[in-house]
Amino acid sequence: MDQVLWLLDARLHVLGSEILWREIVGNVFGFASAVALELVATLSVAIFTIGFSLGILYLVQDRLESAAERPRSFMDRLPDARALERLTYAVHVVAFPLWTFTVIAGAIWARQAWGSYWNWDPKEVWAFITWVVYAAYLHARATAGWRGRNAAYLALLGMATLWFNFIGINYFSTTSQHSYASGAPAISS
């Protein structure tokens, strides 16, 4: 992007003042990338939340199916535990590439905003930890044959890291460069 901006570094005269093309394109690119980042991040979190909900339903259904006497409940209307577990995995397969885009786009945005792709900001670190946990879940489920409760627990751990990123960091971090983190002043370098 810097090479493109360098090529566009021609001066433009608007209303008697000089505005650099670099600033115009940089601001438009920065805004568009921030909007795309937030939209995809929100979508991936929504899909991960659906996967989390399905994982909880799977664990409940699995417990009910293994019980000697099964009480009647709304769970009778849901698919069996095996189908819920497969659906949980399928939903996470959709969400994971979106989260991957979020982590990569966040690094690109950080470069634009703070001058570095990685700043060891708590939000960045926990976004990556979340990515690693979900990658481990998908890898274990696809290659190691993890099925059932162990896989579901790993998926639930992924959601716990995601919640910590969005709730814990936003409310309790005092070192985040993300200005919306409560109590954390924006750090500029």
Side-chain angles (χ1 to χ4, degrees):
M1 185 66 187
D2 286 336
Q3 293 80 8
V4 172
L5 294 176
W6 181 81
L7 290 172
L8 295 174
D9 204 6
R11 297 193 183 268
L12 175 68
H13 296 281
V14 177
L15 300 175
S17 64
E18 290 186 355
I19 299 176
L20 296 175
W21 272 105
R22 175 184 280 270
E23 292 174 19
I24 294 171
V25 174
N27 288 338
V28 169
F29 175 76
F31 177 74
S33 65
V35 169
L37 169 62
E38 293 305 319
L39 287 174
V40 174
T42 302
L43 180 61
S44 64
V45 169
I47 297 171
F48 276 136
T49 302
I50 293 168
F52 168 78
S53 301
L54 288 168
I56 294 290
L57 289 173
Y58 159 74
L59 290 170
V60 171
Q61 188 77 303
D62 186 54
R63 173 132 339 192
L64 288 173
E65 287 177 5
S66 64
E69 286 188 33
R70 181 178 173 151
R72 287 196 45 85
S73 71
F74 79 95
M75 296 295 288
D76 295 335
R77 296 180 182 188
L78 296 177
D80 66 346
R82 188 169 177 223
L84 284 171
E85 197 271 336
R86 283 193 314 267
L87 187 57
T88 301
Y89 174 70
V91 168
H92 283 95
V93 164
V94 171
F96 184 73
L98 296 172
W99 189 253
T100 300
F101 173 84
T102 298
V103 171
I104 293 169
I108 293 168
W109 186 87
R111 171 72 167 92
Q112 291 290 109
W114 301 311
S116 174
Y117 291 107
W118 189 262
N119 296 301
W120 291 101
D121 182 75
K123 185 70 77 175
E124 295 170 345
V125 170
W126 279 95
F128 183 68
I129 290 170
T130 299
W131 185 88
V132 168
V133 171
Y134 278 121
Y137 163 68
L138 294 175
H139 180 73
R141 175 71 170 65
T143 62
W146 274 33
R147 300 279 190 277
R149 296 177 97 53
N150 288 337
Y153 290 137
L154 193 52
L156 298 182
L157 177 63
M159 183 51 100
T161 64
L162 191 65
W163 280 347
F164 183 75
N165 188 11
F166 282 104
I167 297 169
I169 299 300
N170 285 354
Y171 291 106
F172 303 114
S173 174
T174 59
T175 61
S176 179
Q177 289 180 304
H178 292 77
S179 61
Y180 52 84
S182 178
I187 301 169
S188 60
S189 43

